[in-house]
Amino acid sequence: MISRRQFLLALSSLAVSACTTTTPTFFAPTSNKTLPFDDLLSYDALGLANLIKTKQISAEELLNIIIKRIDYANPTLNFMTNTAYNRARSNLINVNNDQLFTGVPVLVKDMIDVAGMPRTDGSMLFKDRQITKSVDYILGLERAGLNIVGMTNVPEMASFIITDNELFGATHNPWNLEYSTFSSSGGSACAIAAGVVPLAHGTDGAGSCRLPPSTTGLLGMKPSRYRMLSGEANGGHDLVKTNQAISRTVRDSAALFSMTEDKSNGHFSPVGFVTTSLKRKLKVGVVRNIPNSTPIEPEVNKALESTMALLESLGHELVDVNYPIIFDVLMDSYQKFFATKVGPLKALVEKVSGKSVTESGLLTHLLAQNIEQASGLSEEEIQQGVDALNTLPAKFADMFKACDIVITPVAAFAGTRLDEGSYKDDWDEVTSTFILERLKYTAPVNFAGNPAMSVPLYWDKNNMPIGSQFIAPLGDDKLLYELAYQLEAARPWRDKWAPYSLMYPQHLA
C-alpha cells in the first residue's frame, strides 16, 4: 500500500504538463476525465497551509493538485475565465512559513486587477485587456501567502442576476446543473462548492458575496464600507463595492479578512483575526417580507424559520423589525444610480467602435440596451435616485436601535434557473423588476455600508441550499464572525457536498 504522500506526489506530477505556457491563458477545457483524485478535499485553506508548513506536502505539489481539480471540474461547471498556472508556479519562490496561507492556491474573480493577468469583466469589450499592476487588495491577499492560479466567471460587468456572458458562457450550479450560481461572484462560489478550492475571492456591489454563497451552500462575507484594502486601480473605494472571501469554513474567511483589512482606514478600528465564537446573547431583528414586492417563496420562508429556531435554541431573542426600504423606490433609485456608472463606459464603446452602444457588438444586447436607456436620464433624475439611496445609512442606523443584529432572507427566491435572466433578453420593466426582486434584501446593505453575511443553514426539499442573511451595525464586522463561528458549531455545513463536486467525480465525467 502506498502512503498518502506517495499518492499525492504521483497525482501532482499528472498536472505538470498543464503549466507549459509562459503567460496567463484563457481556459482551454481538457477532455481527460479519467485521472484519480486527491484526498485533501476535506481540508480548508488554513488546513492546507498547515500541511505545507509541516512538510506533509509541498506548495508545488498542492498547486499541481489544484490545477488537476480545475482541469477536471471546469468542462462541466464552467467557472473559469482564464488560468495563470505558470504565474502561480513562478510565485512559489515567495512561499514561506511565516505566511498565514503559506502557498495555498486561490482563485480570484475576473473583476479585479492582478499584475500579469487578463481582466475581462466577462465582456467582449475587454477580452484582450492585460493588467500590469495589482491593486492593494490583491497585494494583501498575496502577502498572506495565497497563490493566484486563475480567475472565475462573472456576468458581463457584474450586471444582472446570473453568472453568464457571451464571452465564456454560463456557470452551472454544482447542486443542480440547470440552475445558476446567482450573481457576479458565481464563478468563485461554484469553484468552492465543487471542491476545487476551499476559498476564493469575491466582490459585492449589490449582494454578490451573499447571493452566490446562498445558492451553493457556502459562507459569504460583505465587509463594512471602507474596511478593506482598496480593490480599485486608483487606490480609492467604490461607494457600494467591497472585496472579501467566499469560503467553506468561517476561519478561512476570518483569516483572509485579517490580512486584507485596511488597518488605517480612518473609519474603524482594526478587527484582526477573529478566532472565537460569540459569548453573549443577542437581540435579533427579523425581517420577513418587503411591502409592495413579491413575497418570499415557501422554501425560503422555511429556511428563515429554521434559522430563527436555531437562534432561539442558542439563547438569542427574536424581535420583528421593518426593513427600511420601499420596493418601488428602491427599484427606481437603483436604476438611476446605475446611470452614474455608465457614462464613461458608453463613451469608451463609442470611441473604440465608432458606433452606438447597441450597434457596436462589444456589449451584449441586454447591457447595451440598459446603458442606452440610462444615458437618457437627466442629471436631475439621476440625482433624485442618488439622494434617495443616500438616506439608507441613517435608516439602517435607526433599525439597529431596536436590535443587535438583523436577519433576512438572502433573496426572496431559492435560486434562479439558467434559462432565466439571460443577457440575450430585452431590457424592459419586466427584466428590471425580475432583477431587483432578487436584489432587494442585499443591495440596500451596500448603499447603507453595513457588513453582512450569508450563512448556509438550510437545504430545501430538492437538496438545494438556501442561506440566511445577517446584517450588523456599521463597522461591527467582528460580531458577524463571532456569530458565524457559533452557527457553524451548532449546525455544521462544511461536510455537505454538492452532487456535481469532486467528492463525486463520477458525476462530472
Side-chain angles (χ1 to χ4, degrees):
M1 179 179 295
I2 65 171
S3 68
R4 189 183 78 171
R5 180 167 175 79
Q6 289 171 322
F7 171 76
L8 294 173
L9 283 169
L11 173 65
S12 65
S13 67
L14 294 171
V16 173
S17 61
C19 301
T20 56
T21 58
T22 58
T23 59
T25 58
F26 286 123
F27 186 87
T30 177
S31 60
N32 188 350
K33 288 193 172 185
T34 61
L35 302 179
F37 269 95
D38 61 88
D39 64 349
L40 300 181
L41 288 177
S42 63
Y43 285 76
D44 66 359
L46 288 176
L48 293 173
N50 185 62
L51 292 179
I52 295 172
K53 292 177 181 181
T54 56
K55 300 187 184 304
Q56 297 181 63
I57 189 173
S58 73
E60 182 177 11
E61 291 161 5
L62 180 58
L63 173 60
N64 289 334
I65 288 168
I66 300 302
I67 289 171
K68 162 68 170 48
R69 293 179 183 178
I70 294 170
D71 286 350
Y72 192 93
N74 192 70
T76 298
L77 299 172
N78 194 41
F79 51 86
M80 297 292 291
T81 62
N82 62 73
T83 62
Y85 296 164
N86 226 52
R87 182 187 189 277
R89 187 170 297 282
S90 67
N91 282 342
L92 292 173
I93 194 173
N94 299 317
V95 172
N96 67 76
N97 281 3
D98 292 333
Q99 298 167 319
L100 202 53
F101 290 104
T102 305
V104 174
V106 71
L107 297 172
V108 299
K109 180 176 174 177
D110 192 353
M111 290 199 71
I112 194 166
D113 287 0
V114 180
M117 294 187 68
R119 176 180 168 177
T120 72
D121 286 53
S123 177
M124 294 293 291
L125 176 63
F126 297 130
K127 68 182 181 65
D128 297 320
R129 179 168 59 177
Q130 293 285 328
I131 302 301
T132 59
K133 182 181 179 181
S134 293
V135 294
D136 290 344
Y137 183 90
I138 291 297
L139 295 176
L141 180 148
E142 292 186 315
R143 282 194 299 269
L146 290 167
N147 192 7
I148 297 171
V149 71
M151 285 186 155
T152 58
N153 202 18
V154 298
E156 184 178 32
M157 310 289 185
S159 302
F160 317 123
I161 204 63
I162 67 172
T163 299
D164 187 11
N165 59 66
E166 187 177 24
L167 189 56
F168 299 106
T171 295
H172 297 263
N173 193 320
W175 290 91
N176 185 329
L177 296 184
E178 294 181 356
Y179 275 74
S180 171
T181 48
F182 253 136
S183 52
S184 68
S185 297
S188 289
C190 176
I192 303 166
V196 173
V197 288
L199 172 76
H201 161 257
T203 67
D204 191 317
S208 290
C209 278
R210 289 161 287 160
L211 287 158
S214 174
T215 197
T216 53
L218 304 168
L219 177 75
M221 281 282 181
K222 177 210 128 21
S224 294
R225 183 185 298 150
Y226 306 126
R227 171 71 77 181
M228 311 308 289
L229 292 170
S230 173
E232 307 303 314
N234 64 5
H237 291 272
D238 189 273
L239 176 67
V240 294
K241 185 175 71 175
T242 60
N243 294 267
Q244 194 18 28
I246 299 170
S247 61
R248 189 171 288 276
T249 65
V250 176
R251 70 172 191 165
D252 273 355
S253 179
L256 183 58
F257 183 99
S258 72
M259 297 302 298
T260 53
E261 70 169 324
D262 182 356
K263 294 178 174 58
S264 58
N265 62 75
H267 296 271
F268 315 108
S269 299
V271 172
F273 186 4
V274 182
T275 59
T276 56
S277 179
L278 188 67
K279 292 182 172 59
R280 63 186 176 98
K281 307 305 181 186
L282 300 177
K283 181 178 286 188
V284 181
V286 179
V287 172
R288 293 180 179 272
N289 284 308
I290 295 173
N292 302 322
S293 66
T294 303
I296 59 176
E297 289 183 333
E299 286 294 328
V300 175
N301 189 58
K302 289 179 183 178
L304 183 63
E305 291 183 345
S306 175
T307 299
M308 291 165 57
L310 174 61
L311 291 167
E312 286 187 310
S313 74
L314 294 170
H316 302 302
E317 178 187 356
L318 303 182
V319 296
D320 288 330
V321 297
N322 293 321
Y323 213 37
I325 69 164
I326 300 171
F327 179 72
D328 294 344
V329 174
L330 173 67
M331 188 165 75
D332 179 69
S333 303
Y334 188 87
Q335 293 180 77
K336 288 175 178 176
F337 172 81
F338 178 77
T340 67
K341 302 281 189 178
V342 302
L345 181 59
K346 182 175 185 290
L348 175 62
V349 170
E350 292 172 346
K351 179 180 179 180
V352 169
S353 68
K355 300 177 181 178
S356 70
V357 171
T358 53
E359 295 173 338
S360 69
L362 296 177
L363 299 176
T364 53
H365 177 70
L366 188 63
L367 181 57
Q369 279 195 332
N370 190 4
I371 290 173
E372 284 285 19
Q373 178 177 313
S375 67
L377 293 170
S378 68
E379 290 186 10
E380 182 180 5
E381 289 173 315
I382 293 171
Q383 190 60 49
Q384 287 172 350
V386 172
D387 289 344
L389 294 171
N390 283 340
T391 66
L392 287 177
K395 290 179 178 178
F396 269 68
D398 285 342
M399 179 175 65
F400 282 106
K401 291 177 181 178
C403 57
D404 300 306
I405 205 161
V406 169
I407 178 176
T408 82
V410 178
F413 304 87
T416 299
R417 294 175 59 91
L418 284 171
D419 57 3
E420 299 177 296
S422 170
Y423 63 83
K424 300 175 184 177
D425 292 343
D426 289 322
W427 179 258
D428 52 27
E429 186 173 350
V430 172
T431 300
S432 61
T433 301
F434 178 88
I435 292 169
L436 264 297
E437 282 282 7
R438 285 153 180 80
L439 297 177
K440 65 188 179 186
Y441 289 102
T442 55
V445 187
N446 294 74
F447 290 99
N450 292 62
M453 66 180 179
S454 175
V455 186
L457 299 171
Y458 183 83
W459 271 253
D460 72 11
K461 61 184 179 181
N462 297 316
N463 199 34
M464 288 288 287
I466 301 174
S468 293
Q469 177 176 232
F470 293 85
I471 311 166
L474 185 65
D476 206 351
D477 306 66
K478 181 180 180 180
L479 177 60
L480 288 180
Y481 276 116
E482 290 174 337
L483 178 58
Y485 277 119
Q486 185 182 58
L487 296 171
E488 183 182 43
R491 192 176 288 178
W493 59 78
R494 66 179 292 174
D495 293 326
K496 290 182 179 290
W497 287 93
Y500 294 93
S501 69
L502 292 172
M503 191 61 75
Y504 309 104
Q506 68 275 17
H507 295 167
L508 296 170

